[in-house]
Amino acid sequence: MKLLILASLLGLSLAQFNPNTKDGKTAIVHLFEWRWADIAAECERYLGPNGFGGVQISPPSESIVVTNPWHPWWQRYQPIGYNLCSRSGNEDELRDMITRCNNVGVNIYVDAVVNHMCGAGGGSGTHSSCGSYFNANNKDFPTVPFSNYDFNDGKCNTGSGNIENYQDVNQVRNCRLVGLLDLALEKDYVRGKVADYMNKLIDMGVAGFRVDACKHMWPGDLSVLYGMLHNLNTKWFSSGSRPFIFQEVIDLGGEPITSNEYYGIGRVTEFKYGAKLGNIIRKWNGEKLSYVKNWGEGWGFMPSDKALVFVDNHDNQRGHGAGGASILTFWDARLYKMAVGFMLAHPYGFTRVMSSYRWDRNFVNGQDQNDWIGPPSYEPFSNWWDNGSNQIAFSRGSRGFIVFNNDDWDLSVSLSTGLPGGTYCDVISGQKENGRCTGKQVDVGGDGKATIRISNQEEDPFIAIHADSKL
Ligand code: AAO
């Protein structure tokens, strides 16, 4: 009897390590910032037929909408509530995607941002992805609702209220990560609201979660939260299946918080994997490919059945998070393909492939000024400017910018173009030919601004520049 109870307890707790993939598939792909409708089509057209076990999707929860910089990818890591609309699509599109992917044997794993809400400086208003009102100044998030009582600030002991020192465990878990309002997950009420959000997704058919920023939450609180989650939807999963949990904890050594505090309650991201593999394939620090003979635990990684592994992730492919310069990305295509091939072939860990988008990098002192750029699928009408008369300008996201002067006087003004810094060819007065511009040139600064001059005497009193007219 005792043995039976022990077995069932173990069974319960072990279940969330199981990715629930069909036919024992061992790899998933992160479709970073993809739209739900596109993911549904990708599941049917490519991922299902080609043996992918699942997709990690970008956070589906309602987030703040940031306009400076313009709609950065990272705005989705600042929830203002748990309504299900984002720039990837609305709730109906999300449900349709989950259904269609499940129907072709491809699981959906949700990136759950539950450590915090938006940044403390997020302001108040309806600048959110479903248009819901919130007020970051007094920590009021009415759609959940969360209020001032639901945050950790009283327990944080740093002057700034932010995490200042990763060597202090209390700071890391009770203070604000880069200014993000830190939820008090120790409160039953807060856990209940977070569990409701995750359970709604489970009932819709998702197979599990990437849990964001777990280093910043107490493992005990997370354990209770995971225990509150429903079993998976029996339309697609066998009865009693538990949601797969993989927790983002960056542990490259040197800090008091370590991965092993978390792998009792779910899998954990193994960041050492990509950092070391990058060194090996780049042949840095005297590393050689032949050294991977004992790849895995032999390299000081966590146990294989606890690890979620990847060559790069959405943070470190653009200089956020951790891992350093050795991380291989699509920018080093030849080496990157070898690294991904090695990862998929090797038995260590449960593997995640990265699928992202290209953006124009702009390095100033080794820092990419464009590390914020959002996905190309989303090119809204933006950066509107007018002089109250007959001069106007606007951009299409970060892809194109146009200015008109239909006044009887000159236009001369500095404007935000939404475009990455660089020199662009105006495609009204000329065009880009063999890398040169046959018309006017427009210089866009690192801050996206350009000084525009259009005389009212010109034959065509307007200017248009776009991503492909960059010189
Ligand atoms: C944005 C703005 C901020 C602004 C904030 C609030 O950029 O300027 O203050 O809004 O208004 C993403 C972006 C952030 C963005 C945020 C919210 O990356 O730039 O902030 O959305 O919009 C830590 C966490 C880890 C986190 C990582 C980025 O531990 O959880 O920072 N990753 C996740 C997501 C990520 C997201 C968030 C969390 C927030 O994947 O996309 O942020 O939801 C050390 C620590 C790590 C720590 C890093 C970076 O790493 O160990 O725990 O990660 O520092 O601070 C060596 C060491 C390595 C060390 C590294 C860097 O490699 O070995 O341990 O150096 O020092």
Side-chain angles (χ1 to χ4, degrees):
M1 187 61 187
K2 261 189 196 155
L3 258 183
L4 258 182
I5 292 172
L6 185 69
S8 69
L9 278 176
L10 270 180
L12 258 186
S13 63
L14 284 177
Q16 61 224 32
F17 298 88
N18 178 352
N20 304 303
T21 48
K22 302 291 178 320
D23 310 320
K25 295 176 190 172
T26 58
I28 62 172
V29 58
H30 183 190
L31 297 185
F32 177 59
E33 283 276 19
W34 282 48
R35 293 165 61 246
W36 308 149
D38 294 338
I39 295 176
E42 187 77 351
C43 284
E44 293 168 344
R45 178 176 62 205
Y46 187 82
L47 300 174
N50 287 287
F52 280 82
V55 179
Q56 177 184 320
I57 62 169
S58 284
S61 44
E62 180 170 18
S63 73
I64 192 170
V65 171
V66 173
T67 46
N68 184 22
W70 187 260
H71 295 202
W73 62 267
W74 45 253
Q75 68 185 17
R76 296 182 67 175
Y77 289 88
Q78 300 196 30
I80 65 100
Y82 301 129
N83 287 334
L84 297 173
C85 31
S86 63
R87 73 169 148 219
S88 287
N90 61 30
E91 182 169 337
D92 289 341
E93 291 165 314
L94 177 68
R95 190 182 298 277
D96 179 62
M97 170 197 72
I98 295 169
T99 302
R100 285 166 61 191
C101 290
N102 277 332
N103 285 347
V104 293
V106 180
N107 291 347
I108 299 296
Y109 305 94
V110 170
D111 195 345
V113 184
V114 299
N115 169 64
H116 52 261
M117 302 300 277
C118 67
S124 71
T126 54
H127 48 299
S128 53
S129 54
C130 316
S132 305
Y133 173 84
F134 68 98
N135 186 345
N137 304 324
N138 60 10
K139 299 177 219 164
D140 185 21
F141 298 94
T143 62
V144 182
F146 284 141
S147 69
N148 198 22
Y149 302 107
D150 301 318
F151 293 85
N152 269 331
D153 298 289
K155 290 194 294 170
C156 170
N157 53 13
T158 65
S160 63
N162 295 335
I163 299 166
E164 294 172 0
N165 178 4
Y166 274 85
Q167 297 303 320
D168 177 342
V169 174
N170 286 300
Q171 270 186 41
V172 175
R173 291 179 174 148
N174 292 340
C175 296
R176 297 172 179 173
L177 167 63
V178 295
L180 298 161
L181 295 172
D182 202 52
L183 284 169
L185 207 60
E186 65 179 12
K187 288 186 64 180
D188 286 339
Y189 175 78
V190 174
R191 286 173 187 158
K193 290 296 175 184
V194 170
D196 287 349
Y197 163 57
M198 295 170 82
N199 279 331
K200 178 166 181 184
L201 292 160
I202 291 171
D203 296 346
M204 285 167 81
V206 310
F209 301 90
R210 169 207 185 250
V211 187
D212 182 66
C214 287
K215 185 187 279 183
H216 309 283
M217 295 181 274
W218 296 91
D221 293 339
L222 287 173
S223 175
V224 176
L225 172 68
Y226 302 157
M228 294 165 77
L229 299 181
H230 295 171
N231 288 338
L232 299 188
N233 188 324
T234 51
K235 182 162 180 211
W236 294 289
F237 302 96
S238 51
S239 119
S241 300
R242 296 297 293 156
F244 180 47
I245 299 287
F246 55 106
Q247 307 166 96
E248 188 226 14
V249 180
I250 298 175
D251 175 5
L252 290 167
E255 286 177 27
I257 298 180
T258 54
S259 310
N260 64 7
E261 293 176 47
Y262 292 86
Y263 57 58
I265 53 177
R267 289 207 189 218
V268 180
T269 50
E270 178 52 278
F271 275 82
K272 291 174 186 155
Y273 193 101
K276 301 272 188 205
L277 190 58
N279 275 325
I280 293 167
I281 294 194
R282 290 179 190 278
K283 298 185 257 196
W284 284 1
N285 305 340
E287 297 285 6
K288 292 191 175 103
L289 202 44
S290 56
Y291 296 168
V292 302
K293 195 168 179 191
N294 66 338
W295 186 246
E297 289 92 340
W299 278 67
F301 300 165
M302 66 184 80
S304 177
D305 59 351
K306 303 291 190 284
L308 185 289
V309 301
F310 45 94
V311 174
D312 60 334
N313 79 346
H314 71 280
D315 282 331
N316 63 21
Q317 76 169 191
R318 44 179 56 67
H320 286 238
S326 76
I327 297 296
L328 286 167
T329 69
F330 66 90
W331 295 104
D332 301 290
R334 188 163 182 267
L335 301 182
Y336 187 56
K337 283 185 271 183
M338 266 197 282
V340 175
F342 172 78
M343 174 181 78
L344 291 173
H346 197 277
Y348 177 83
F350 186 72
T351 51
R352 180 181 66 195
V353 175
M354 180 74 202
S355 173
S356 176
Y357 51 84
R358 194 184 186 285
W359 71 100
D360 286 314
R361 292 192 294 190
N362 176 25
F363 285 106
V364 177
N365 299 325
Q367 280 284 108
D368 179 9
Q369 304 302 301
N370 291 339
D371 67 342
W372 56 270
I373 288 181
S377 58
Y378 188 74
E379 297 299 350
F381 178 68
S382 48
N383 288 304
W384 173 262
W385 171 85
D386 66 71
N387 69 343
S389 180
N390 294 293
Q391 301 181 349
I392 62 160
F394 60 89
S395 73
R396 292 296 300 277
S398 60
R399 300 291 294 177
F401 179 66
I402 195 162
V403 193
F404 297 88
N405 178 14
N406 201 21
D407 271 327
D408 299 329
W409 60 86
D410 291 353
L411 173 152
S412 177
V413 64
S414 170
L415 296 174
S416 289
T417 65
L419 300 188
T423 301
Y424 293 81
C425 185
D426 167 35
V427 297
I428 304 301
S429 58
Q431 59 189 334
K432 185 169 130 182
E433 268 177 28
N434 305 321
R436 304 254 278 279
C437 183
T438 61
K440 294 186 209 167
Q441 294 189 10
V442 178
D443 289 317
V444 176
D447 58 359
K449 288 195 164 167
T451 301
I452 308 287
R453 292 196 180 80
I454 305 175
S455 160
N456 61 314
Q457 306 295 327
E458 283 178 41
E459 173 65 18
D460 298 312
F462 70 119
I463 279 179
I465 58 178
H466 58 82
D468 296 334
S469 81
K470 192 173 180 191
L471 298 175

